[in-house]
């Protein structure tokens, strides 16, 4: 009998390990597909430049420069050090340095010693970290469940993370979000464990408290918005504490809770290291894009709701809504809405089934409190302080693992329901998630904000030299031009046909009257050998080419995914 039980447990463990390896392999296949096929955009260029220890300030302004000069900050520099990376971040960016230091080491390990850095190499690090979130969520699911079905919850949670389109989107960005998500998952693991100890009136062990402080410190060293994760966890724990108080009077003064205060104090100390930088973040020009103007306008009040819903919906399903063929995009939207209305009520019943279970209901409720608290914080900051966090879908990384865990709970409940319909819905959710992941990989959803691959071919139709001009306010505009230069370089055109670039600095984001940028453009045009084409791309100042013998092309205006371009022929 003992031998039989031992063999059964061994075979069962092997089966579950095989399942985890399957979800991980699916995650690898999706996340590492086509890493170099989509053009990098401004934020990714910031990662590349700062991780290489370079600066955007080395790109000359107010003068025509070559393609080589524009892309110089993307050249590998073997002598660059970690200290260079940290210094550039602290002086020119708004992010903590942990991920950028890792990216610096990664790119130097896996890139050639000279030439432009590889975007595939740069994106492979977050893709790898994104793969690690799959077994991490398997572990979180295992801890949520205390009954016989804990491995079922582990598998549904890991499988959902493997295919979720939002997770794939963040994993294919050369940014720090997947590393931050790992810390979010680790902090949620600590949350679930601490809740279990405190619910049993047992002090959380010292190793757990120390690990929690360390994880929270690493999270803050990766992204400052991890602070929203910590705030949401604190609010969720306050709800749990209130429940404890009602059940057992005045529990917060007893010894089991005292170690939690130490965790809060230790986390506060590690977070306060970054306080001097936080005080300046709001003043940085590169954060102005999330600041609302008239936030009491009707449109400003409604827009964040739609933005949040769009992000939440695409966390778990996404079809080719950004396809260039309009009928396909329309059909995709209709199918997504139909699936939403069909699946959510059934999924909710599965979630309710699991939440009412005595073995796992408390952990599920505190995770639900975490997600609800995080969303409330987003709206509180958006409406209360005029900083619209819903504009950037990527910022929802702060609670996305919690959403994955709750969806895993719901699908576990469906799988245990003895009806084919319920199990069919659970399978359909995973299939829709897989379709969403493939949609992201093929750039038909969560497209890059800029598409130089669509604008550069239009420019290449010219038989004459080209000057691309833009107004410069922050490093964002340098990244926009780098996107065009990168695409030109990627297509391996002859250096003799490469365009020149002009970044005209102006202190205002936009200027309409008596703009120095206009005068600088006019002076530059007088020095250009004729004939040539002028492309004014995202040029936020008046363009008056007539005085320089330039006329608007018959196809004068082009707008291509983030690039607002006007074409002039100068003879």
């Amino acid at each position: 009998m003992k031998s039989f039980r031992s063999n059964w447990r061994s075979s069962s463990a092997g089966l579950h390990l095989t399942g985890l390896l399957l979800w991980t392999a699916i995650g690898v296949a999706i996340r590492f597909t086509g890493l170099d096929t989509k053009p990098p955009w401004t934020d990714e260029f910031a990662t590349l430049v700062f991780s290489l220890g370079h600066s955007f300030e080395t790109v000359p302004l107010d003068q025509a420069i070559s393609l080589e000069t524009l892309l110089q900050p993307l050249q590998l520099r073997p002598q660059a050090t970690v200290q260079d990376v940290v210094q550039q971040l602290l002086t020119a960016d708004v992010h903590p340095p942990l991920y950028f230091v890792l990216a610096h080491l990664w790119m130097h390990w896996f890139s050639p010693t000279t030439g432009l850095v590889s975007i595939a190499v740069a994106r492979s690090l977050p893709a790898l970290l994104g793969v690690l979130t799959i077994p991490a969520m398997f572990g979180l699911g295992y801890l949520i469940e205390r009954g016989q079905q804990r491995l079922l919850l582990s598998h549904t949670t890991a499988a959902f993370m493997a295919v979720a389109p939002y997770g794939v989107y963040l994993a294919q960005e050369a940014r720090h979000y997947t590393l931050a998500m790992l810390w979010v998952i680790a902090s949620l693991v600590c949350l679930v464990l601490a809740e279990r100890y405190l619910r049993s009136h047992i002090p959380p062990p010292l190793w757990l408290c120390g690990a929690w402080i360390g994880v929270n410190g690493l999270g803050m060293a990766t992204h400052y918005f991890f602070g929203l994760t910590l705030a949401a966890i604190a609010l969720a724990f306050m709800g749990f504490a209130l429940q404890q108080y009602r059940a057992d009077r005045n529990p917060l003064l007893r010894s089991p809770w005292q170690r939690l205060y130490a965790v809060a104090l230790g986390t506060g100390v590690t977070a306060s290291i970054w306080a001097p930088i936080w005080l300046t973040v709001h003043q940085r020009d590169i954060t102005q894009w999330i600041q609302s103007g008239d936030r009491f306008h009707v449109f400003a009040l409604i827009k964040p709701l739609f933005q949040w819903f769009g992000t939440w919906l695409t966390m778990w399903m996404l079809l080719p809504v950004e396809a260039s063929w309009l009928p396909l995009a329309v059909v995709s939207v209709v199918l997504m809405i139909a699936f939403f209305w069909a699946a959510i009520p059934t999924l909710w019943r599965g979630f309710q089934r699991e939440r009412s279970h005595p073995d796992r209901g408390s952990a599920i409720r505190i995770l639900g409190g975490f997600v609800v608290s995080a969303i409330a914080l987003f709206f509180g900051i958006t409406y209360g302080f005029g900083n619209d966090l819903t504009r950037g879908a990527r910022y929802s990384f702060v609670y996305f693992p919690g959403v994955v865990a709750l969806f895993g709970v719901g699908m576990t409940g469906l799988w245990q329901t003895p009806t084919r319909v319920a199990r069919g819905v659970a399978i359909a959710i995973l299939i829709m998630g897989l379709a969403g992941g493939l949609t992201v990989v093929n750039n038909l959803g969560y497209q890059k904000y800029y598409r130089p691959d669509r604008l550069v071919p239009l420019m290449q139709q010219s038989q004459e030299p080209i000057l691309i001009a833009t107004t410069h306010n922050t490093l964002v505009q340098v990244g926009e031009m780098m996107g065009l230069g990168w695409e030109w370089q990627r297509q391996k055109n002859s250096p003799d046909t490469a365009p020149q670039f002009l970044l005209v600095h102006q202190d205002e984001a936009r200027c309409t009257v008596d703009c120095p940028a206009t005068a600088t453009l006019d002076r530059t045009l007088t020095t250009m050998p004729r004939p040539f084409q002028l492309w004014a791309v995202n040029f936020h100042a008046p363009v008056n080419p007539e005085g320089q013998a330039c006329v608007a092309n018959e196809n004068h205006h082009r707008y291509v995914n983030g690039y607002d371009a006007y074409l002039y022929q100068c003879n």
Side-chain angles (χ1 to χ4, degrees):
M1 180 64 70
K2 290 183 179 180
S3 176
F4 172 78
R5 289 178 179 175
S6 176
N7 292 336
W8 182 87
R9 291 173 180 171
S10 177
S11 61
S12 177
L15 180 64
H16 291 301
L17 178 59
T18 301
L20 176 57
L21 291 177
L22 173 62
W23 310 135
T24 304
I26 292 173
V28 169
I30 296 175
R31 284 160 177 78
F32 279 87
T33 297
L35 286 181
D36 60 348
T37 58
K38 291 178 279 190
W41 66 291
T42 297
D43 281 17
E44 291 184 296
F45 281 121
T47 301
L48 299 177
V49 171
F50 292 131
S51 297
L52 293 172
H54 290 310
S55 170
F56 283 92
E57 294 180 359
T58 59
V59 177
L61 304 178
D62 300 329
Q63 59 180 287
I65 60 175
S66 66
L67 173 62
E68 182 181 4
T69 301
L70 175 66
L71 299 182
Q72 185 61 40
L74 302 174
Q75 296 281 343
L76 289 159
R77 184 163 61 98
Q79 65 271 28
T81 65
V82 168
Q83 289 74 15
D84 295 328
V85 177
V86 175
Q87 180 181 358
Q88 293 299 335
L89 283 170
L90 295 180
T91 57
D93 198 47
V94 294
H95 294 102
L98 179 58
Y99 176 81
F100 294 84
V101 170
L102 295 177
H104 170 83
L105 300 174
W106 182 269
M107 288 189 290
H108 279 78
W109 285 338
F110 296 103
S111 298
T113 57
T114 59
L116 290 178
V117 65
S118 166
I119 188 61
V121 170
R123 287 173 175 164
S124 63
L125 175 58
L128 176 61
L129 296 171
V131 169
L132 294 180
T133 62
I134 299 170
M137 288 303 302
F138 186 93
L140 177 60
Y142 187 83
L143 294 174
I144 294 172
E145 170 71 76
R146 297 190 67 181
Q148 297 180 350
Q149 302 298 326
R150 65 193 318 174
L151 283 169
L152 176 58
L153 179 54
S154 295
H155 282 291
T156 56
T157 304
F160 187 73
M161 176 60 88
V163 299
Y166 182 82
V168 176
Y169 152 62
L170 293 184
Q172 292 200 322
E173 289 268 295
R175 296 294 280 169
H176 38 199
Y177 302 114
T178 48
L179 178 60
M181 278 202 303
L182 282 173
W183 304 133
V184 173
I185 296 170
S187 195
L188 291 180
V189 166
C190 296
L191 169 68
V192 171
L193 289 175
E195 181 272 340
R196 183 176 299 174
Y197 281 106
L198 293 172
R199 182 155 44 90
S200 301
H201 303 289
I202 301 173
L206 291 175
W207 67 263
L208 176 60
C209 297
W212 205 354
I213 294 172
V215 165
N216 294 341
L218 291 170
M220 291 302 300
T222 303
H223 201 294
Y224 295 137
F225 278 11
F226 185 83
L228 295 175
T229 298
L230 299 181
I233 286 176
L235 291 173
F237 238 121
M238 289 173 62
F240 171 69
L242 181 60
Q243 293 176 351
Q244 287 283 300
Y245 179 79
R246 290 172 176 172
D248 185 7
R249 293 293 176 178
N250 210 21
L252 304 185
L253 299 180
R254 298 183 180 179
S255 58
W257 284 83
Q258 292 175 0
R259 290 183 180 177
L260 195 66
Y261 306 148
V263 172
L265 179 61
T267 298
V269 170
T270 59
S272 65
I273 297 174
W274 310 105
I277 301 177
W278 297 343
L279 298 176
T280 65
V281 165
H282 191 271
Q283 303 171 359
R284 302 284 183 92
D285 291 334
I286 56 179
T287 64
Q288 291 179 354
W289 73 278
I290 64 170
Q291 297 173 19
S292 302
D294 183 7
R295 64 179 187 271
F296 299 108
H297 189 273
V298 174
F299 181 72
L301 293 173
I302 297 176
K303 185 179 179 182
L305 297 173
F306 284 95
Q307 290 173 161
W308 169 80
F309 179 75
T311 299
W312 177 82
L313 185 65
T314 55
M315 283 183 177
W316 58 286
M317 68 169 172
L318 179 62
L319 295 177
V321 295
E322 294 182 282
S324 57
W325 190 42
L326 183 59
L328 177 57
V330 172
V331 170
S332 297
V333 171
V334 172
L335 289 176
M336 287 177 63
I337 294 174
F339 186 77
F340 169 79
W341 288 113
I344 285 298
T346 306
L347 183 66
W348 177 252
R349 288 194 291 270
F351 176 79
Q352 291 285 72
R353 183 183 189 277
E354 292 297 293
R355 191 179 66 167
S356 62
H357 198 285
D359 285 337
R360 49 193 174 269
S362 181
I364 293 172
R365 283 191 292 271
I366 201 169
L367 283 174
F370 161 75
V371 172
V372 171
S373 297
I375 295 172
L377 287 170
F378 268 60
F379 284 119
I381 293 172
T382 296
Y383 290 117
F385 297 94
N387 291 320
D388 189 359
L389 299 186
T390 66
R391 289 189 65 184
R394 55 196 182 276
Y395 297 147
S396 295
F397 79 87
V398 302
Y399 65 90
F400 173 62
V403 173
V404 173
L406 296 181
F407 264 78
V409 168
M411 288 190 291
T412 299
L414 293 181
W415 198 254
Q416 295 183 88
T417 302
T419 64
R420 293 183 178 180
V421 173
R423 293 187 175 186
V425 169
I427 295 173
I429 289 174
L430 290 178
I431 293 175
M432 284 292 286
L434 177 60
L438 297 176
T439 296
V440 174
V441 167
N442 289 282
N443 212 22
L444 298 174
Y446 276 122
Q447 283 190 359
K448 300 301 181 184
Y449 294 93
Y450 300 90
R451 295 293 304 272
D453 55 318
R454 290 184 175 178
L455 182 57
V456 167
L458 299 178
M459 295 178 170
Q460 291 173 341
Q461 295 175 8
S462 172
Q463 302 298 318
E464 299 169 348
I466 295 174
L467 174 67
I468 303 174
T470 191
T471 48
H472 170 273
N473 184 244
T474 68
L475 61 83
V476 172
Q477 290 75 44
V478 183
E480 291 171 356
M481 294 301 101
M482 282 182 169
L484 295 173
W486 182 283
E487 182 63 22
W488 202 285
Q489 182 88 355
R490 185 186 70 84
Q491 296 190 16
K492 295 181 172 59
N493 291 283
S494 170
D496 296 335
T497 64
Q500 289 187 290
F501 295 84
L502 173 65
L503 290 92
V504 184
H505 182 72
Q506 64 178 17
D507 294 329
E508 305 89 357
R510 291 182 180 272
C511 178
T512 57
V513 180
D514 296 329
C515 304
T518 302
T520 302
L521 175 61
D522 288 343
R523 287 195 301 269
T524 304
L525 293 181
T526 61
T527 65
M528 296 290 296
R530 307 302 173 108
F532 69 94
Q533 283 190 347
L534 167 65
W535 286 79
V537 180
N538 297 344
F539 199 92
H540 300 307
V543 178
N544 301 311
E546 290 80 6
Q548 303 299 327
C550 298
V551 296
N553 186 276
E554 59 180 12
N555 295 317
H556 177 53
H557 183 212
R558 312 285 182 88
Y559 182 81
V560 183
N561 298 76
Y563 290 107
D564 195 13
Y566 291 83
L567 173 60
Y568 302 91
Q569 181 67 43
C570 302
N571 297 311

